[in-house]
Amino acid sequence: MNRLLPPLALIAGLACAIPASAQFQKSEDAIKYRQGAFRVMAEHFGRIGAMANGRVPFDAKVAQENMALVVALHKLPFSAFAEGTDKGAPQRARPEVWKDGAKFKAAIERMMSEVAKLDAAAKGGSLDAVKSAFGATGGACKACHDDFRARDYSSN
Amino acid sequence: MNRLLPPLALIAGLACAIPASAQFQKSEDAIKYRQGAFRVMAEHFGRIGAMANGRVPFDAKVAQENMALVVALHKLPFSAFAEGTDKGAPQRARPEVWKDGAKFKAAIERMMSEVAKLDAAAKGGSLDAVKSAFGATGGACKACHDDFRARDYSSN
């Protein structure tokens, strides 16, 4: 089978963090998988943000439930940026993902580190700690998006 | 905020199974969320299937890792079938999802029951048990798809 394997730089850095058999048979499968994982993660991250930003009342249990899903999902997309998956379905990933793998890897690691801190804050149950860690995590998301995500979808 | 709430039948049956604040601000958000969750779940379910069907060697640890993700994801899509989400983005959900809520709920509950059995089988580490439970779970998926999923995407 013609399986798509992640770039070596990602394998080296993230091998222990991503389930084995992180392989896709078609580029389209990998693209839709990572988009799906990002979408679900963003929803649950956003629900924590609604509490951090005061749009809905803070509920520590709800924050923890949503954070558990963010933790379960946040490494998954990065198993699906194999070489060759810059084409295959409309997407917003910029060529820099593959051209500057070291910078992309650093951005992912920053996000993972902030997610771990936000998880600890949510488990601690302090709204102030969640607010602070949410801001830092959102900053890590945005920094990666600024460098590696285009405004518009590609045509294929 | 104009939040979309799940149908009462789903709330009654699944309230304890779905994270609180399972609310979406736009129909499009709910549709893309459930599609994303289905996509990621299907990928990990499929990796167990590859082992169950002998396409790749059975590895109990890998089966358990993939099954943990299926378990984490399998209830999520059903928090996102609120009334009104039959429109808003291209989708394959049939009108029967909302017209025959009781049947849809029964199909979901069958799937959830089979997923629990497959999870137990994966944790037990027996390929024969995984094969059997995988077949039953796939059958539950297919039965629901046959009744509630269209072949083609809607235009909006």
Side-chain angles (χ1 to χ4, degrees):
Chain A
M1 285 182 284
N2 177 26
R3 291 187 171 275
L4 298 162
L5 296 172
L8 276 181
L10 288 183
I11 290 175
L14 304 172
C16 61
I18 291 172
S21 297
Q23 298 151 341
F24 299 88
Q25 297 203 32
K26 289 189 302 179
S27 179
E28 181 184 7
D29 294 342
I31 294 164
K32 293 194 169 174
Y33 173 91
R34 66 197 190 211
Q35 290 171 337
F38 277 130
R39 166 72 62 166
V40 178
M41 177 168 64
E43 175 64 33
H44 292 284
F45 184 66
R47 291 180 191 175
I48 298 167
M51 290 186 271
N53 295 323
R55 293 198 305 278
V56 303
F58 180 62
D59 180 321
K61 183 168 176 289
V62 173
Q64 287 163 19
E65 286 170 349
N66 282 292
M67 198 59 214
L69 286 164
V70 171
V71 168
L73 290 162
H74 78 296
K75 293 172 182 169
L76 300 183
F78 308 103
S79 67
F81 280 99
E83 298 284 350
T85 62
D86 56 331
K87 304 282 181 205
Q91 61 178 294
R92 295 168 70 189
R94 284 188 168 158
E96 284 72 17
V97 167
W98 297 275
K99 284 183 190 159
D100 196 348
K103 189 175 177 186
F104 185 54
K105 179 170 172 282
I108 296 167
E109 288 175 342
R110 176 181 162 192
M111 179 275 289
M112 289 183 181
S113 169
E114 298 299 347
V115 163
K117 291 180 209 164
L118 179 55
D119 186 40
K123 284 176 177 158
S126 152
L127 175 57
D128 282 346
V130 167
K131 279 182 182 175
S132 171
F134 178 82
T137 308
C141 296
K142 182 180 181 303
C144 192
H145 294 169
D146 286 349
D147 287 337
F148 295 105
R149 189 175 74 168
R151 197 187 62 174
D152 299 316
Y153 280 85
S154 66
S155 58
N156 68 359
Chain B
M1 282 183 285
N2 176 27
R3 291 188 169 275
L4 298 163
L5 297 173
L8 276 181
L10 288 184
I11 289 175
L14 305 173
C16 62
I18 291 171
S21 298
Q23 298 149 342
F24 299 88
Q25 297 204 34
K26 289 189 302 175
S27 179
E28 181 184 7
D29 294 343
I31 295 164
K32 292 194 171 174
Y33 172 91
R34 67 198 190 209
Q35 290 171 338
F38 277 131
R39 167 71 62 166
V40 178
M41 177 169 63
E43 175 64 33
H44 293 283
F45 184 67
R47 291 179 192 176
I48 298 166
M51 289 186 273
N53 294 324
R55 292 198 304 279
V56 304
F58 180 62
D59 181 322
K61 183 167 177 288
V62 173
Q64 288 163 21
E65 287 170 348
N66 282 292
M67 199 58 214
L69 286 164
V70 171
V71 168
L73 289 162
H74 77 298
K75 293 172 182 169
L76 300 184
F78 307 104
S79 67
F81 280 99
E83 298 285 349
T85 62
D86 56 331
K87 303 281 180 206
Q91 60 178 294
R92 294 167 70 189
R94 285 187 167 160
E96 285 72 17
V97 166
W98 296 276
K99 285 183 190 160
D100 196 348
K103 188 175 178 185
F104 186 53
K105 179 168 172 283
I108 296 167
E109 287 175 342
R110 176 182 162 193
M111 178 275 288
M112 290 183 181
S113 168
E114 297 300 347
V115 164
K117 291 180 208 164
L118 180 55
D119 186 40
K123 284 174 176 160
S126 152
L127 174 58
D128 282 344
V130 167
K131 279 182 183 176
S132 171
F134 178 84
T137 309
C141 297
K142 183 179 183 302
C144 193
H145 294 168
D146 286 348
D147 287 337
F148 296 104
R149 189 176 74 168
R151 197 188 62 175
D152 299 315
Y153 280 85
S154 66
S155 57
N156 66 0

